[in-house]
Amino acid sequence: MTITLYHFPQSRSLRVAWLLEEMGLDYTLKTIPRAKAREYAKTPEYQAINPLGKYPTLIDGDMTMVESVAIMDYLMHKYDAGSLKPAVDTPDFGPYTQWLHFGESGMGMYVIMLFAHSYLLPEEHRSPKIAEWGKEETRKCLEFLAAGLGDKDYLCESGFTAADISIFYILYLLKIIRQFDDAPDNLKTYFDRLKQNPAWQKISAIEE
Ligand SMILES: N[C@@H](CCC(=O)N[C@@H](CS)C(=O)NCC(=O)O)C(=O)O
């Protein structure tokens, strides 16, 4: 079976690439240069595998799927996730599942609203009120996350898991859009700790 990941630098495909590295799976990374990612997403070639024109897309044999966190879950169910996924009968399983999804479902929309209405959209389409709302909701999410992390090194008692990978990406996005400076101190320390991870360093070094 061949696993192929469509990736562009700084995007959510980093979550999947990081996990693939941690799991030691063989995969082909199809990196689309950042400047060309939107254009490539509209090509018949990419539309045939992902009509939404988003990244990541994963192809595993004859199966194609989208949604970064769903892809992570799929890979960990199908292949050996080791300690990246706590066993169902351990106390970590609930918190692990919560944080795995919180990185995208819980925080993603607020961060995107903040991003879109502060930077991404043409100025005439930005709404300061939506940006403010996104910022406030993001702040609440960060407080909640900081309380959950407490003084642990990682989100689960058992240590580093895929939930950290999921959460790290959304913090990384906040950092890129310069909205991470006011985050609680324990989250900043956590972010700096995760940045040292060798698999992260390898995949984040892939530039256009
Ligand atoms: N919820 C989806 C979001 C996918 C998504 O919006 N990806 C962004 C990159 S981080 C994208 O492809 N943007 C290109 C565009 O919207 O044109 C996931 O987690 O995979």
Side-chain angles (χ1 to χ4, degrees):
M1 281 292 194
T2 322
I3 297 179
T4 303
L5 174 65
Y6 285 78
H7 166 69
F8 83 83
Q10 296 193 349
S11 83
R12 286 165 171 79
S13 46
L14 283 166
R15 281 189 179 123
V16 181
W18 186 351
L19 184 74
L20 286 163
E21 287 291 326
E22 293 288 350
M23 291 175 74
L25 294 170
D26 272 342
Y27 68 100
T28 303
L29 195 64
K30 281 207 75 159
T31 304
I32 319 300
R34 200 141 57 91
K36 297 207 173 123
R38 285 225 161 81
E39 194 185 307
Y40 180 70
K42 292 183 194 141
T43 61
E45 184 190 346
Y46 197 65
Q47 284 286 311
I49 57 163
N50 186 342
L52 296 170
K54 305 278 184 206
Y55 302 86
T57 303
L58 182 98
I59 301 182
D60 183 13
D62 54 10
M63 196 282 318
T64 301
M65 73 182 287
V66 301
E67 279 300 325
S68 59
V69 176
I71 296 171
M72 292 173 77
D73 220 11
Y74 163 85
L75 289 169
M76 290 187 289
H77 273 91
K78 182 155 182 198
Y79 303 102
D80 181 13
S83 58
L84 291 162
K85 180 179 188 292
V88 233
D89 56 357
T90 61
D92 270 340
F93 187 66
Y96 157 81
T97 308
Q98 171 184 291
W99 296 125
L100 179 73
H101 291 280
F102 193 71
E104 186 64 21
S105 325
M107 288 189 72
M109 182 181 70
Y110 304 126
V111 173
I112 286 302
M113 287 299 147
L114 172 58
F115 181 29
H117 289 273
S118 308
Y119 309 94
L120 195 63
L121 292 170
E123 250 176 79
E124 66 274 20
H125 294 150
R126 290 181 202 163
S127 154
K129 288 225 174 311
I130 296 181
E132 204 180 296
W133 171 73
K135 195 178 169 82
E136 174 56 11
E137 293 299 322
T138 299
R139 187 195 63 73
K140 285 193 232 163
C141 287
L142 291 176
E143 289 290 334
F144 177 64
L145 186 56
L149 177 65
D151 59 4
K152 299 191 294 302
D153 284 353
Y154 301 106
L155 289 162
C156 290
E157 298 286 349
S158 58
F160 177 73
T161 66
D164 296 300
I165 296 179
S166 173
I167 290 290
F168 179 84
Y169 179 77
I170 206 76
L171 302 183
Y172 171 72
L173 188 54
L174 282 171
K175 186 95 176 167
I176 291 175
I177 64 171
R178 299 193 187 88
Q179 297 288 336
F180 193 60
D181 289 354
D182 297 334
D185 284 346
N186 65 337
L187 288 188
K188 289 191 194 160
T189 309
Y190 168 71
F191 182 84
D192 289 342
R193 177 177 305 114
L194 286 170
K195 242 179 22 184
Q196 303 310 314
N197 177 289
W200 165 259
Q201 294 204 343
K202 179 178 168 188
I203 50 122
S204 61
I206 300 166
E207 286 297 327
E208 7 264 283

